[in-house]
Amino acid sequence: MKKFDFKKANKKLYSGKIGRFDIVDVPALPYLMIDGVGSPNISGVYGQAISALYALSYGLKFHSKIELGKDYVVAPLEGLWWADDMSVFASGDKDKWQWTMMMRQPVWATAPLLADIRAVSTAKNAKKKTPPTDAQTLAKVRLEVLTEGTCVQTLYVGPYDKEGETLRAMHSEFIPQNNMTMTGKHHEIYLNDPRKISPEKLKTILRQPVEVAEG
């Protein structure tokens, strides 16, 4: 059985070059999503949200492989980040950040299938006597299509807390200098696991949906 890989099939969406800003056309894509508020560094809610996304994503993968005969590599973790004052991204004041964490899903994933996988995951947690918040967090995960269209993106390598300079160059220099305006939420794609890679080697795609001015 051939295993589908999102990153290989849509290479332009998951690659870039340090210091270079690329313009990419991002199609409408299905994701598992969950929302939250606050710094990911200290928020227990954030950790539970990530655990729920992985549990359901792997549940969908195994169901797809066994029941549908369609295997694939689980997509990387992604996040949409925003705040009432977008300048906080440059300042690094993460306590004021709002986020939607998400993981891309195959086109055959459906809401009814997600409901079935969620029920299985919730039952497994109950047998393990895990905290009730696990079931509550699983219940907050939804399947939604994200439409971004024209975007500016770049590859950033280094600690998450040091993204500020690259974001300033993207938001305050490249985008306005090229007659563009920001239209959507700041988007990050985490290409490797921070539990296994040193902060200096972390690879992140930084993406910003834009609108190009006419004329």
Side-chain angles (χ1 to χ4, degrees):
M1 183 186 302
K2 188 175 181 179
K3 185 180 294 187
F4 180 81
D5 190 327
F6 297 107
K7 291 191 292 185
K8 292 181 180 179
N10 304 123
K11 189 174 181 180
K12 288 185 178 180
L13 303 184
Y14 299 95
S15 62
K17 184 176 180 179
I18 300 172
R20 184 186 73 196
F21 296 109
D22 297 317
I23 299 175
V24 296
D25 185 24
V26 183
L29 299 171
Y31 290 88
L32 288 186
M33 299 183 176
I34 185 169
D35 304 320
V37 179
S39 172
N41 297 333
I42 60 175
S43 173
V45 173
Y46 178 84
Q48 291 182 16
I50 302 306
S51 295
L53 282 177
Y54 273 103
L56 294 175
S57 290
Y58 274 97
L60 286 165
K61 168 197 164 60
F62 294 137
H63 175 90
S64 180
K65 179 179 179 180
I66 296 171
E67 301 297 333
L68 304 179
K70 299 178 180 181
D71 195 12
Y72 58 92
V73 179
V74 171
L77 179 68
E78 306 186 31
L80 302 178
W81 302 87
W82 72 100
D84 294 333
D85 178 3
M86 285 298 290
S87 65
V88 299
F89 284 104
S91 69
D93 187 0
K94 295 184 178 181
D95 290 338
K96 297 179 180 179
W97 286 15
Q98 300 179 58
W99 43 264
T100 296
M101 303 311 297
M102 54 193 197
M103 296 180 74
R104 184 177 167 185
Q105 303 300 314
V107 294
W108 57 84
T110 63
L113 179 56
L114 172 59
D116 291 342
I117 300 302
R118 191 192 335 262
V120 172
S121 295
T122 302
K124 287 182 179 179
N125 284 344
K127 290 182 180 180
K128 295 177 182 178
K129 297 181 181 181
T130 51
T133 49
D134 287 351
Q136 294 171 10
T137 304
L138 287 170
K140 294 177 181 178
V141 178
R142 66 188 184 278
L143 180 65
E144 184 176 316
V145 173
L146 176 66
T147 302
E148 291 183 296
T150 303
C151 296
V152 174
Q153 74 176 34
T154 189
L155 173 66
Y156 166 79
V157 178
Y160 300 139
D161 290 341
K162 303 296 184 180
E163 293 175 0
E165 183 177 346
T166 302
L167 291 178
R168 280 192 293 270
M170 177 189 287
H171 294 169
S172 302
E173 297 175 17
F174 182 85
I175 290 176
Q177 288 172 5
N178 286 274
N179 297 316
M180 303 174 186
T181 55
M182 296 189 292
T183 59
K185 296 170 181 175
H186 171 67
H187 187 165
E188 299 188 354
I189 304 174
Y190 308 104
L191 299 179
N192 42 26
D193 190 338
R195 298 170 300 179
K196 302 176 181 179
I197 302 293
S198 64
E200 294 74 21
K201 297 181 180 180
L202 290 172
K203 295 182 179 181
T204 307
I205 294 294
L206 304 180
R207 178 184 295 165
Q208 177 60 53
V210 297
E211 183 177 85
V212 182
E214 297 182 1

